[in-house]
Amino acid sequence: MTFMQVIEYETTDEDRVDRLMDEWLRITEGKRTAHHAMMGKDREKPSHFMQIVEFPSYEEAMRNSDLPETRHIAEEMREACVGEPRFVNLDVTRDEVVDEDAMESLLGKVLTDLGAVTVAPMMVIGERLGLFTAMADGAPLTSADLATRTGTQERNVREWLALMAASGYITLDPDGRFRLSPEQVIVFTQQDSPYYAPSGFQLFSAAGSMETRDKLEQAFVKGGGVGWEEHHAELFPNVGRFFRTGYAAFLVDQWLPALDGVVDRLRTGGTAADVGCGLGYSTMMMAKAFPKSHFVGFDYHGPSIDEARRLAKADHLGKRVDFEVAGSADFGGGPYDLIAFFDCLHDMGDPVGALSHCRARLTDGGVVMLVEPNAADDLADNMNPLSRAFYGGSSLICVPASQAQPVGRAMGAQAGEARTREVAAEAGFAHFRRATETPFNIVYELRS
Ligand SMILES: C[S@@+](CC[C@H](N)C(=O)[O-])C[C@H]1O[C@@H](n2cnc3c(N)ncnc32)[C@H](O)[C@@H]1O
């Protein structure tokens, strides 16, 4: 522990004390153990001084005092002083130093995020008005070109382009025109790509809308969470859009084949439930891939089920798929060969109750598939940009949604494997396996 020695003294011969200090520094070069020494003069009483000397430890300070050179200078100091110097030995219990580099890096992060707050609504507007898609050919254009193409006001578009270019989301060419690079085309215009970003901005903007924020603030103080259905109406379609691209990329080709025997069962004609299906994109993808099977999507949120039914009808899925308003612990039908939960078990108030209910509704050899956000078990291992976004979504949506339901387990979107395994075990599942994963999700297989 760092140690400090404070020496308080009176002298009328400041120059002599100064010279003694110089001499001490010279003769103890390479021997002294003090690593920082300061001398101060009292503004109110010019004969009153203090020396503050810092050492790595008390022991080192004592070693320093025992040096013959220090003893000699201390003797001379006594002679130069009026009265006896006063020594105070301090174990340093707290040491606050502002690290300039750390400060700069922190302010850099803050500045980036401050910009991001302004980007979010502009991203939403840009997507809605087709500003990105109008640049999807990657050809350079001016703000006037983009305004003409999209039927918008040039001055507003010019500022929007400047913001997006400064964000690195649009490329500014040396001639002052703007274009999308091939990567920017994918991330900002290709709605079916798993890298498509604007839906995420729409989702988080809806989740953090002013009216929801006020409800969340109340929930922080009074408890009781904020129910899924209490969110801004734009949340629901954008959650569906946000997750849909990942499911399109992985669900049929990687996730289902990673579960033992499930694809064979669905190919020949099985029955599957999709619990907490939201707008039902995952249900419909499975229904399209396995036309001999029957799929039912359940969600307790009526408006989401209405929209799922509308989408299924528009997709001409006929009797292959049904959607029902039902909670995770009381949905009917079955027995099911597969019961799936896509990014929703952690949103439920009683995940154990939901999984127990599933156990009673599985066929012999039936499987529960849990698709959950990817996360490490230890908080310290989740200090990265992806987990940060998930913790953001989790504090805005998932934890309060779970708290608003009976039990209110509030697993959080970064529950990780160990906590998910615990929930499955409490529900009586003897078999729990991490079947596969992507950077965004972990897929678990549960069997009785
Ligand atoms: C993050 S969304 C995921 C929706 C959908 N699975 C997807 O991936 O797009 C969570 C969903 O869980 C549903 N949910 C939450 N608690 C539920 C419960 N107890 N019973 C049924 N559905 C529930 C919500 O209504 C919401 O649609």
Side-chain angles (χ1 to χ4, degrees), residues 228 239-240 243-244 247 274-282 298-301 304 326-329 341-344 346-349 397-398 405:
W228 183 259
V239 165
F243 286 126
R244 182 183 68 86
Y247 303 159
D274 183 353
V275 183
C277 67
L279 267 66
Y281 289 113
S282 47
F298 296 105
D299 200 292
Y300 79 160
H301 184 238
S304 291
S328 52
F341 292 73
F342 292 93
D343 284 299
C344 61
H346 63 269
D347 292 295
M348 294 170 179
I397 310 167
C398 316
Q405 299 182 26

PDB file of all heavy atoms in Angstrom, residues 228 239-240 243-244 247 274-282 298-301 304 326-329 341-344 346-349 397-398 405, ligand 1:
ATOM      1  N   TRP A 228     -45.179  -6.263 -22.296  1.00  0.00           N
ATOM      2  CA  TRP A 228     -44.903  -6.247 -23.736  1.00  0.00           C
ATOM      3  C   TRP A 228     -45.928  -5.373 -24.461  1.00  0.00           C
ATOM      4  O   TRP A 228     -45.601  -4.547 -25.293  1.00  0.00           O
ATOM      5  CB  TRP A 228     -44.949  -7.698 -24.234  1.00  0.00           C
ATOM      6  CG  TRP A 228     -44.626  -7.849 -25.682  1.00  0.00           C
ATOM      7  CD1 TRP A 228     -45.503  -8.012 -26.702  1.00  0.00           C
ATOM      8  CD2 TRP A 228     -43.323  -7.819 -26.273  1.00  0.00           C
ATOM      9  NE1 TRP A 228     -44.834  -8.090 -27.889  1.00  0.00           N
ATOM     10  CE2 TRP A 228     -43.486  -7.979 -27.656  1.00  0.00           C
ATOM     11  CE3 TRP A 228     -42.030  -7.668 -25.746  1.00  0.00           C
ATOM     12  CZ2 TRP A 228     -42.418  -8.005 -28.531  1.00  0.00           C
ATOM     13  CZ3 TRP A 228     -40.960  -7.690 -26.628  1.00  0.00           C
ATOM     14  CH2 TRP A 228     -41.164  -7.859 -27.994  1.00  0.00           C
ATOM     15  N   VAL A 239     -39.573  -5.661 -34.120  1.00  0.00           N
ATOM     16  CA  VAL A 239     -38.938  -6.831 -33.507  1.00  0.00           C
ATOM     17  C   VAL A 239     -38.961  -7.965 -34.542  1.00  0.00           C
ATOM     18  O   VAL A 239     -37.964  -8.638 -34.781  1.00  0.00           O
ATOM     19  CB  VAL A 239     -39.676  -7.260 -32.220  1.00  0.00           C
ATOM     20  CG1 VAL A 239     -39.255  -8.652 -31.786  1.00  0.00           C
ATOM     21  CG2 VAL A 239     -39.392  -6.271 -31.104  1.00  0.00           C
ATOM     22  N   GLY A 240     -40.119  -8.127 -35.175  1.00  0.00           N
ATOM     23  CA  GLY A 240     -40.260  -9.175 -36.190  1.00  0.00           C
ATOM     24  C   GLY A 240     -39.271  -8.990 -37.324  1.00  0.00           C
ATOM     25  O   GLY A 240     -38.558  -9.922 -37.707  1.00  0.00           O
ATOM     26  N   PHE A 243     -35.479  -9.696 -36.183  1.00  0.00           N
ATOM     27  CA  PHE A 243     -35.063 -11.098 -36.000  1.00  0.00           C
ATOM     28  C   PHE A 243     -35.217 -11.927 -37.275  1.00  0.00           C
ATOM     29  O   PHE A 243     -34.524 -12.932 -37.449  1.00  0.00           O
ATOM     30  CB  PHE A 243     -35.868 -11.744 -34.863  1.00  0.00           C
ATOM     31  CG  PHE A 243     -35.449 -11.270 -33.490  1.00  0.00           C
ATOM     32  CD1 PHE A 243     -36.375 -10.739 -32.606  1.00  0.00           C
ATOM     33  CD2 PHE A 243     -34.141 -11.382 -33.076  1.00  0.00           C
ATOM     34  CE1 PHE A 243     -35.999 -10.302 -31.338  1.00  0.00           C
ATOM     35  CE2 PHE A 243     -33.744 -10.954 -31.817  1.00  0.00           C
ATOM     36  CZ  PHE A 243     -34.680 -10.407 -30.943  1.00  0.00           C
ATOM     37  N   ARG A 244     -36.162 -11.518 -38.133  1.00  0.00           N
ATOM     38  CA  ARG A 244     -36.516 -12.317 -39.310  1.00  0.00           C
ATOM     39  C   ARG A 244     -35.299 -12.676 -40.170  1.00  0.00           C
ATOM     40  O   ARG A 244     -35.145 -13.821 -40.604  1.00  0.00           O
ATOM     41  CB  ARG A 244     -37.523 -11.511 -40.148  1.00  0.00           C
ATOM     42  CG  ARG A 244     -38.042 -12.182 -41.376  1.00  0.00           C
ATOM     43  CD  ARG A 244     -38.976 -11.243 -42.131  1.00  0.00           C
ATOM     44  NE  ARG A 244     -38.266 -10.116 -42.712  1.00  0.00           N
ATOM     45  CZ  ARG A 244     -37.673 -10.108 -43.896  1.00  0.00           C
ATOM     46  NH1 ARG A 244     -37.719 -11.186 -44.661  1.00  0.00           N
ATOM     47  NH2 ARG A 244     -37.047  -9.040 -44.345  1.00  0.00           N
ATOM     48  N   TYR A 247     -33.255 -15.516 -38.760  1.00  0.00           N
ATOM     49  CA  TYR A 247     -33.948 -16.805 -38.873  1.00  0.00           C
ATOM     50  C   TYR A 247     -33.892 -17.286 -40.325  1.00  0.00           C
ATOM     51  O   TYR A 247     -33.700 -18.474 -40.585  1.00  0.00           O
ATOM     52  CB  TYR A 247     -35.416 -16.695 -38.423  1.00  0.00           C
ATOM     53  CG  TYR A 247     -35.607 -16.185 -37.004  1.00  0.00           C
ATOM     54  CD1 TYR A 247     -36.815 -15.618 -36.591  1.00  0.00           C
ATOM     55  CD2 TYR A 247     -34.589 -16.277 -36.063  1.00  0.00           C
ATOM     56  CE1 TYR A 247     -37.001 -15.147 -35.298  1.00  0.00           C
ATOM     57  CE2 TYR A 247     -34.767 -15.805 -34.768  1.00  0.00           C
ATOM     58  CZ  TYR A 247     -35.962 -15.230 -34.400  1.00  0.00           C
ATOM     59  OH  TYR A 247     -36.128 -14.765 -33.120  1.00  0.00           O
ATOM     60  N   ASP A 274     -44.700 -22.914 -32.072  1.00  0.00           N
ATOM     61  CA  ASP A 274     -43.737 -21.815 -31.968  1.00  0.00           C
ATOM     62  C   ASP A 274     -44.305 -20.880 -30.905  1.00  0.00           C
ATOM     63  O   ASP A 274     -45.270 -20.142 -31.161  1.00  0.00           O
ATOM     64  CB  ASP A 274     -43.629 -21.145 -33.353  1.00  0.00           C
ATOM     65  CG  ASP A 274     -42.594 -20.035 -33.396  1.00  0.00           C
ATOM     66  OD1 ASP A 274     -42.046 -19.681 -32.342  1.00  0.00           O
ATOM     67  OD2 ASP A 274     -42.348 -19.528 -34.508  1.00  0.00           O
ATOM     68  N   VAL A 275     -43.735 -20.942 -29.705  1.00  0.00           N
ATOM     69  CA  VAL A 275     -44.316 -20.214 -28.567  1.00  0.00           C
ATOM     70  C   VAL A 275     -43.674 -18.822 -28.469  1.00  0.00           C
ATOM     71  O   VAL A 275     -42.461 -18.688 -28.598  1.00  0.00           O
ATOM     72  CB  VAL A 275     -44.075 -21.012 -27.256  1.00  0.00           C
ATOM     73  CG1 VAL A 275     -44.730 -20.304 -26.073  1.00  0.00           C
ATOM     74  CG2 VAL A 275     -44.602 -22.425 -27.399  1.00  0.00           C
ATOM     75  N   GLY A 276     -44.505 -17.804 -28.229  1.00  0.00           N
ATOM     76  CA  GLY A 276     -44.008 -16.423 -28.206  1.00  0.00           C
ATOM     77  C   GLY A 276     -43.566 -16.028 -29.602  1.00  0.00           C
ATOM     78  O   GLY A 276     -42.523 -15.406 -29.794  1.00  0.00           O
ATOM     79  N   CYS A 277     -44.411 -16.381 -30.579  1.00  0.00           N
ATOM     80  CA  CYS A 277     -44.012 -16.277 -31.999  1.00  0.00           C
ATOM     81  C   CYS A 277     -44.033 -14.865 -32.533  1.00  0.00           C
ATOM     82  O   CYS A 277     -43.538 -14.607 -33.637  1.00  0.00           O
ATOM     83  CB  CYS A 277     -44.895 -17.176 -32.858  1.00  0.00           C
ATOM     84  SG  CYS A 277     -46.616 -16.597 -32.911  1.00  0.00           S
ATOM     85  N   GLY A 278     -44.626 -13.903 -31.798  1.00  0.00           N
ATOM     86  CA  GLY A 278     -44.689 -12.546 -32.316  1.00  0.00           C
ATOM     87  C   GLY A 278     -45.439 -12.496 -33.635  1.00  0.00           C
ATOM     88  O   GLY A 278     -46.560 -13.023 -33.760  1.00  0.00           O
ATOM     89  N   LEU A 279     -44.801 -11.917 -34.652  1.00  0.00           N
ATOM     90  CA  LEU A 279     -45.452 -11.816 -35.965  1.00  0.00           C
ATOM     91  C   LEU A 279     -45.355 -13.115 -36.764  1.00  0.00           C
ATOM     92  O   LEU A 279     -45.812 -13.180 -37.909  1.00  0.00           O
ATOM     93  CB  LEU A 279     -44.867 -10.659 -36.773  1.00  0.00           C
ATOM     94  CG  LEU A 279     -45.633  -9.344 -36.606  1.00  0.00           C
ATOM     95  CD1 LEU A 279     -45.517  -8.818 -35.180  1.00  0.00           C
ATOM     96  CD2 LEU A 279     -45.144  -8.292 -37.572  1.00  0.00           C
ATOM     97  N   GLY A 280     -44.729 -14.123 -36.186  1.00  0.00           N
ATOM     98  CA  GLY A 280     -44.783 -15.467 -36.761  1.00  0.00           C
ATOM     99  C   GLY A 280     -43.854 -15.735 -37.936  1.00  0.00           C
ATOM    100  O   GLY A 280     -44.036 -16.712 -38.655  1.00  0.00           O
ATOM    101  N   TYR A 281     -42.827 -14.911 -38.119  1.00  0.00           N
ATOM    102  CA  TYR A 281     -41.925 -15.161 -39.261  1.00  0.00           C
ATOM    103  C   TYR A 281     -41.269 -16.535 -39.160  1.00  0.00           C
ATOM    104  O   TYR A 281     -41.151 -17.249 -40.156  1.00  0.00           O
ATOM    105  CB  TYR A 281     -40.844 -14.076 -39.348  1.00  0.00           C
ATOM    106  CG  TYR A 281     -41.370 -12.734 -39.794  1.00  0.00           C
ATOM    107  CD1 TYR A 281     -41.386 -11.648 -38.936  1.00  0.00           C
ATOM    108  CD2 TYR A 281     -41.863 -12.556 -41.088  1.00  0.00           C
ATOM    109  CE1 TYR A 281     -41.860 -10.406 -39.352  1.00  0.00           C
ATOM    110  CE2 TYR A 281     -42.346 -11.319 -41.514  1.00  0.00           C
ATOM    111  CZ  TYR A 281     -42.346 -10.246 -40.634  1.00  0.00           C
ATOM    112  OH  TYR A 281     -42.831  -9.019 -41.041  1.00  0.00           O
ATOM    113  N   SER A 282     -40.832 -16.898 -37.951  1.00  0.00           N
ATOM    114  CA  SER A 282     -40.170 -18.206 -37.782  1.00  0.00           C
ATOM    115  C   SER A 282     -41.161 -19.339 -38.071  1.00  0.00           C
ATOM    116  O   SER A 282     -40.809 -20.331 -38.729  1.00  0.00           O
ATOM    117  CB  SER A 282     -39.621 -18.329 -36.349  1.00  0.00           C
ATOM    118  OG  SER A 282     -40.611 -17.937 -35.412  1.00  0.00           O
ATOM    119  N   PHE A 298     -48.004 -19.446 -31.228  1.00  0.00           N
ATOM    120  CA  PHE A 298     -48.756 -18.926 -30.072  1.00  0.00           C
ATOM    121  C   PHE A 298     -48.079 -17.659 -29.561  1.00  0.00           C
ATOM    122  O   PHE A 298     -46.844 -17.590 -29.483  1.00  0.00           O
ATOM    123  CB  PHE A 298     -48.763 -19.943 -28.921  1.00  0.00           C
ATOM    124  CG  PHE A 298     -49.471 -21.223 -29.230  1.00  0.00           C
ATOM    125  CD1 PHE A 298     -48.751 -22.387 -29.477  1.00  0.00           C
ATOM    126  CD2 PHE A 298     -50.864 -21.277 -29.262  1.00  0.00           C
ATOM    127  CE1 PHE A 298     -49.400 -23.585 -29.750  1.00  0.00           C
ATOM    128  CE2 PHE A 298     -51.517 -22.475 -29.537  1.00  0.00           C
ATOM    129  CZ  PHE A 298     -50.784 -23.631 -29.778  1.00  0.00           C
ATOM    130  N   ASP A 299     -48.881 -16.703 -29.196  1.00  0.00           N
ATOM    131  CA  ASP A 299     -48.336 -15.511 -28.524  1.00  0.00           C
ATOM    132  C   ASP A 299     -49.476 -14.900 -27.713  1.00  0.00           C
ATOM    133  O   ASP A 299     -50.627 -14.917 -28.146  1.00  0.00           O
ATOM    134  CB  ASP A 299     -47.810 -14.492 -29.537  1.00  0.00           C
ATOM    135  CG  ASP A 299     -46.833 -13.513 -28.906  1.00  0.00           C
ATOM    136  OD1 ASP A 299     -47.263 -12.685 -28.057  1.00  0.00           O
ATOM    137  OD2 ASP A 299     -45.629 -13.580 -29.232  1.00  0.00           O
ATOM    138  N   TYR A 300     -49.150 -14.349 -26.564  1.00  0.00           N
ATOM    139  CA  TYR A 300     -50.223 -13.766 -25.747  1.00  0.00           C
ATOM    140  C   TYR A 300     -50.585 -12.361 -26.212  1.00  0.00           C
ATOM    141  O   TYR A 300     -51.523 -11.757 -25.701  1.00  0.00           O
ATOM    142  CB  TYR A 300     -49.871 -13.836 -24.261  1.00  0.00           C
ATOM    143  CG  TYR A 300     -48.905 -12.794 -23.711  1.00  0.00           C
ATOM    144  CD1 TYR A 300     -48.873 -12.551 -22.335  1.00  0.00           C
ATOM    145  CD2 TYR A 300     -48.037 -12.069 -24.519  1.00  0.00           C
ATOM    146  CE1 TYR A 300     -48.001 -11.620 -21.797  1.00  0.00           C
ATOM    147  CE2 TYR A 300     -47.172 -11.147 -23.998  1.00  0.00           C
ATOM    148  CZ  TYR A 300     -47.156 -10.923 -22.642  1.00  0.00           C
ATOM    149  OH  TYR A 300     -46.302 -10.001 -22.110  1.00  0.00           O
ATOM    150  N   HIS A 301     -49.843 -11.822 -27.183  1.00  0.00           N
ATOM    151  CA  HIS A 301     -50.100 -10.457 -27.654  1.00  0.00           C
ATOM    152  C   HIS A 301     -51.000 -10.500 -28.885  1.00  0.00           C
ATOM    153  O   HIS A 301     -50.551 -10.839 -29.993  1.00  0.00           O
ATOM    154  CB  HIS A 301     -48.751  -9.781 -27.966  1.00  0.00           C
ATOM    155  CG  HIS A 301     -48.874  -8.349 -28.363  1.00  0.00           C
ATOM    156  ND1 HIS A 301     -48.419  -7.853 -29.565  1.00  0.00           N
ATOM    157  CD2 HIS A 301     -49.417  -7.298 -27.698  1.00  0.00           C
ATOM    158  CE1 HIS A 301     -48.669  -6.555 -29.624  1.00  0.00           C
ATOM    159  NE2 HIS A 301     -49.261  -6.197 -28.510  1.00  0.00           N
ATOM    160  N   SER A 304     -50.110  -8.863 -32.377  1.00  0.00           N
ATOM    161  CA  SER A 304     -49.048  -9.571 -33.115  1.00  0.00           C
ATOM    162  C   SER A 304     -49.622 -10.793 -33.821  1.00  0.00           C
ATOM    163  O   SER A 304     -49.278 -11.091 -34.975  1.00  0.00           O
ATOM    164  CB  SER A 304     -47.924 -10.022 -32.158  1.00  0.00           C
ATOM    165  OG  SER A 304     -47.226  -8.910 -31.673  1.00  0.00           O
ATOM    166  N   ALA A 326     -52.358 -17.150 -27.112  1.00  0.00           N
ATOM    167  CA  ALA A 326     -52.258 -18.011 -25.926  1.00  0.00           C
ATOM    168  C   ALA A 326     -50.960 -17.722 -25.190  1.00  0.00           C
ATOM    169  O   ALA A 326     -49.941 -17.374 -25.809  1.00  0.00           O
ATOM    170  CB  ALA A 326     -52.300 -19.487 -26.334  1.00  0.00           C
ATOM    171  N   GLY A 327     -50.995 -17.877 -23.894  1.00  0.00           N
ATOM    172  CA  GLY A 327     -49.807 -17.684 -23.065  1.00  0.00           C
ATOM    173  C   GLY A 327     -48.918 -18.926 -23.111  1.00  0.00           C
ATOM    174  O   GLY A 327     -49.366 -20.017 -23.482  1.00  0.00           O
ATOM    175  N   SER A 328     -47.678 -18.728 -22.694  1.00  0.00           N
ATOM    176  CA  SER A 328     -46.690 -19.813 -22.797  1.00  0.00           C
ATOM    177  C   SER A 328     -46.988 -20.967 -21.838  1.00  0.00           C
ATOM    178  O   SER A 328     -46.467 -22.062 -22.021  1.00  0.00           O
ATOM    179  CB  SER A 328     -45.308 -19.262 -22.507  1.00  0.00           C
ATOM    180  OG  SER A 328     -45.333 -18.555 -21.287  1.00  0.00           O
ATOM    181  N   ALA A 329     -47.802 -20.730 -20.820  1.00  0.00           N
ATOM    182  CA  ALA A 329     -48.076 -21.813 -19.880  1.00  0.00           C
ATOM    183  C   ALA A 329     -49.487 -22.367 -20.047  1.00  0.00           C
ATOM    184  O   ALA A 329     -49.935 -23.191 -19.237  1.00  0.00           O
ATOM    185  CB  ALA A 329     -47.862 -21.329 -18.445  1.00  0.00           C
ATOM    186  N   PHE A 341     -38.972 -21.876 -29.097  1.00  0.00           N
ATOM    187  CA  PHE A 341     -39.049 -20.522 -28.518  1.00  0.00           C
ATOM    188  C   PHE A 341     -37.960 -19.699 -29.197  1.00  0.00           C
ATOM    189  O   PHE A 341     -36.776 -20.004 -29.026  1.00  0.00           O
ATOM    190  CB  PHE A 341     -38.747 -20.532 -27.007  1.00  0.00           C
ATOM    191  CG  PHE A 341     -39.765 -21.216 -26.147  1.00  0.00           C
ATOM    192  CD1 PHE A 341     -39.882 -22.602 -26.124  1.00  0.00           C
ATOM    193  CD2 PHE A 341     -40.584 -20.462 -25.304  1.00  0.00           C
ATOM    194  CE1 PHE A 341     -40.806 -23.226 -25.303  1.00  0.00           C
ATOM    195  CE2 PHE A 341     -41.512 -21.081 -24.471  1.00  0.00           C
ATOM    196  CZ  PHE A 341     -41.630 -22.467 -24.471  1.00  0.00           C
ATOM    197  N   PHE A 342     -38.351 -18.691 -29.941  1.00  0.00           N
ATOM    198  CA  PHE A 342     -37.357 -17.854 -30.623  1.00  0.00           C
ATOM    199  C   PHE A 342     -37.199 -16.532 -29.895  1.00  0.00           C
ATOM    200  O   PHE A 342     -38.127 -15.711 -29.870  1.00  0.00           O
ATOM    201  CB  PHE A 342     -37.787 -17.600 -32.074  1.00  0.00           C
ATOM    202  CG  PHE A 342     -37.745 -18.836 -32.928  1.00  0.00           C
ATOM    203  CD1 PHE A 342     -38.870 -19.623 -33.085  1.00  0.00           C
ATOM    204  CD2 PHE A 342     -36.566 -19.219 -33.557  1.00  0.00           C
ATOM    205  CE1 PHE A 342     -38.832 -20.772 -33.855  1.00  0.00           C
ATOM    206  CE2 PHE A 342     -36.518 -20.360 -34.333  1.00  0.00           C
ATOM    207  CZ  PHE A 342     -37.659 -21.147 -34.483  1.00  0.00           C
ATOM    208  N   ASP A 343     -36.027 -16.327 -29.316  1.00  0.00           N
ATOM    209  CA  ASP A 343     -35.695 -15.056 -28.650  1.00  0.00           C
ATOM    210  C   ASP A 343     -36.813 -14.577 -27.735  1.00  0.00           C
ATOM    211  O   ASP A 343     -37.160 -13.379 -27.755  1.00  0.00           O
ATOM    212  CB  ASP A 343     -35.370 -13.986 -29.706  1.00  0.00           C
ATOM    213  CG  ASP A 343     -33.974 -14.193 -30.302  1.00  0.00           C
ATOM    214  OD1 ASP A 343     -33.007 -14.136 -29.551  1.00  0.00           O
ATOM    215  OD2 ASP A 343     -33.893 -14.442 -31.523  1.00  0.00           O
ATOM    216  N   CYS A 344     -37.405 -15.465 -26.974  1.00  0.00           N
ATOM    217  CA  CYS A 344     -38.528 -15.018 -26.143  1.00  0.00           C
ATOM    218  C   CYS A 344     -38.613 -15.697 -24.773  1.00  0.00           C
ATOM    219  O   CYS A 344     -39.305 -15.169 -23.900  1.00  0.00           O
ATOM    220  CB  CYS A 344     -39.847 -15.197 -26.890  1.00  0.00           C
ATOM    221  SG  CYS A 344     -40.205 -16.897 -27.325  1.00  0.00           S
ATOM    222  N   HIS A 346     -36.628 -15.722 -22.332  1.00  0.00           N
ATOM    223  CA  HIS A 346     -36.170 -14.796 -21.286  1.00  0.00           C
ATOM    224  C   HIS A 346     -37.135 -13.627 -21.080  1.00  0.00           C
ATOM    225  O   HIS A 346     -37.042 -12.924 -20.077  1.00  0.00           O
ATOM    226  CB  HIS A 346     -34.765 -14.277 -21.627  1.00  0.00           C
ATOM    227  CG  HIS A 346     -34.723 -13.474 -22.885  1.00  0.00           C
ATOM    228  ND1 HIS A 346     -34.476 -14.036 -24.115  1.00  0.00           N
ATOM    229  CD2 HIS A 346     -34.940 -12.152 -23.110  1.00  0.00           C
ATOM    230  CE1 HIS A 346     -34.526 -13.102 -25.035  1.00  0.00           C
ATOM    231  NE2 HIS A 346     -34.811 -11.947 -24.459  1.00  0.00           N
ATOM    232  N   ASP A 347     -38.058 -13.398 -22.061  1.00  0.00           N
ATOM    233  CA  ASP A 347     -39.049 -12.320 -21.902  1.00  0.00           C
ATOM    234  C   ASP A 347     -40.207 -12.748 -21.021  1.00  0.00           C
ATOM    235  O   ASP A 347     -41.027 -11.918 -20.613  1.00  0.00           O
ATOM    236  CB  ASP A 347     -39.644 -11.936 -23.270  1.00  0.00           C
ATOM    237  CG  ASP A 347     -38.635 -11.270 -24.181  1.00  0.00           C
ATOM    238  OD1 ASP A 347     -38.188 -10.174 -23.834  1.00  0.00           O
ATOM    239  OD2 ASP A 347     -38.278 -11.864 -25.214  1.00  0.00           O
ATOM    240  N   MET A 348     -40.310 -14.043 -20.784  1.00  0.00           N
ATOM    241  CA  MET A 348     -41.492 -14.554 -20.089  1.00  0.00           C
ATOM    242  C   MET A 348     -41.329 -14.445 -18.576  1.00  0.00           C
ATOM    243  O   MET A 348     -40.231 -14.628 -18.046  1.00  0.00           O
ATOM    244  CB  MET A 348     -41.735 -16.007 -20.509  1.00  0.00           C
ATOM    245  CG  MET A 348     -42.106 -16.036 -21.974  1.00  0.00           C
ATOM    246  SD  MET A 348     -42.160 -17.647 -22.692  1.00  0.00           S
ATOM    247  CE  MET A 348     -42.662 -17.200 -24.369  1.00  0.00           C
ATOM    248  N   GLY A 349     -42.435 -14.195 -17.903  1.00  0.00           N
ATOM    249  CA  GLY A 349     -42.381 -14.051 -16.444  1.00  0.00           C
ATOM    250  C   GLY A 349     -42.016 -15.364 -15.787  1.00  0.00           C
ATOM    251  O   GLY A 349     -41.256 -15.405 -14.816  1.00  0.00           O
ATOM    252  N   ILE A 397     -36.653  -3.637 -22.769  1.00  0.00           N
ATOM    253  CA  ILE A 397     -37.798  -4.478 -23.133  1.00  0.00           C
ATOM    254  C   ILE A 397     -37.915  -5.748 -22.268  1.00  0.00           C
ATOM    255  O   ILE A 397     -38.923  -5.966 -21.600  1.00  0.00           O
ATOM    256  CB  ILE A 397     -37.706  -4.920 -24.621  1.00  0.00           C
ATOM    257  CG1 ILE A 397     -37.453  -3.710 -25.532  1.00  0.00           C
ATOM    258  CG2 ILE A 397     -38.966  -5.657 -25.055  1.00  0.00           C
ATOM    259  CD1 ILE A 397     -37.033  -4.062 -26.950  1.00  0.00           C
ATOM    260  N   CYS A 398     -36.867  -6.598 -22.319  1.00  0.00           N
ATOM    261  CA  CYS A 398     -37.026  -7.975 -21.825  1.00  0.00           C
ATOM    262  C   CYS A 398     -37.231  -8.080 -20.310  1.00  0.00           C
ATOM    263  O   CYS A 398     -38.161  -8.760 -19.856  1.00  0.00           O
ATOM    264  CB  CYS A 398     -35.813  -8.820 -22.228  1.00  0.00           C
ATOM    265  SG  CYS A 398     -35.311  -8.565 -23.929  1.00  0.00           S
ATOM    266  N   GLN A 405     -45.129  -9.867 -15.595  1.00  0.00           N
ATOM    267  CA  GLN A 405     -45.917 -11.110 -15.602  1.00  0.00           C
ATOM    268  C   GLN A 405     -45.781 -11.823 -14.248  1.00  0.00           C
ATOM    269  O   GLN A 405     -44.824 -11.573 -13.513  1.00  0.00           O
ATOM    270  CB  GLN A 405     -45.412 -12.036 -16.714  1.00  0.00           C
ATOM    271  CG  GLN A 405     -45.548 -11.437 -18.101  1.00  0.00           C
ATOM    272  CD  GLN A 405     -45.091 -12.405 -19.195  1.00  0.00           C
ATOM    273  OE1 GLN A 405     -45.115 -13.613 -19.025  1.00  0.00           O
ATOM    274  NE2 GLN A 405     -44.678 -11.838 -20.323  1.00  0.00           N
TER     275      GLN A 405
HETATM  276  C1  LIG B   1     -38.647 -10.553 -28.409  1.00  0.00           C
HETATM  277  S1  LIG B   1     -40.220 -11.049 -28.919  1.00  0.00           S
HETATM  278  C2  LIG B   1     -39.845 -12.385 -30.006  1.00  0.00           C
HETATM  279  C3  LIG B   1     -40.949 -12.642 -30.970  1.00  0.00           C
HETATM  280  C4  LIG B   1     -40.661 -13.711 -31.989  1.00  0.00           C
HETATM  281  N1  LIG B   1     -40.399 -14.990 -31.385  1.00  0.00           N
HETATM  282  C5  LIG B   1     -39.523 -13.306 -32.877  1.00  0.00           C
HETATM  283  O1  LIG B   1     -38.457 -13.864 -32.750  1.00  0.00           O
HETATM  284  O2  LIG B   1     -39.703 -12.372 -33.673  1.00  0.00           O
HETATM  285  C6  LIG B   1     -40.899 -11.834 -27.499  1.00  0.00           C
HETATM  286  C7  LIG B   1     -42.289 -12.361 -27.721  1.00  0.00           C
HETATM  287  O3  LIG B   1     -42.664 -13.122 -26.593  1.00  0.00           O
HETATM  288  C8  LIG B   1     -44.039 -12.906 -26.355  1.00  0.00           C
HETATM  289  N2  LIG B   1     -44.338 -13.267 -24.966  1.00  0.00           N
HETATM  290  C9  LIG B   1     -43.798 -12.734 -23.857  1.00  0.00           C
HETATM  291  N3  LIG B   1     -44.294 -13.349 -22.771  1.00  0.00           N
HETATM  292  C10 LIG B   1     -45.158 -14.277 -23.205  1.00  0.00           C
HETATM  293  C11 LIG B   1     -45.970 -15.242 -22.569  1.00  0.00           C
HETATM  294  N4  LIG B   1     -45.969 -15.365 -21.238  1.00  0.00           N
HETATM  295  N5  LIG B   1     -46.721 -16.042 -23.317  1.00  0.00           N
HETATM  296  C12 LIG B   1     -46.721 -15.931 -24.664  1.00  0.00           C
HETATM  297  N6  LIG B   1     -45.982 -15.051 -25.334  1.00  0.00           N
HETATM  298  C13 LIG B   1     -45.202 -14.235 -24.610  1.00  0.00           C
HETATM  299  C14 LIG B   1     -44.225 -11.438 -26.674  1.00  0.00           C
HETATM  300  O4  LIG B   1     -45.587 -11.115 -26.898  1.00  0.00           O
HETATM  301  C15 LIG B   1     -43.355 -11.302 -27.900  1.00  0.00           C
HETATM  302  O5  LIG B   1     -44.065 -11.520 -29.081  1.00  0.00           O
END
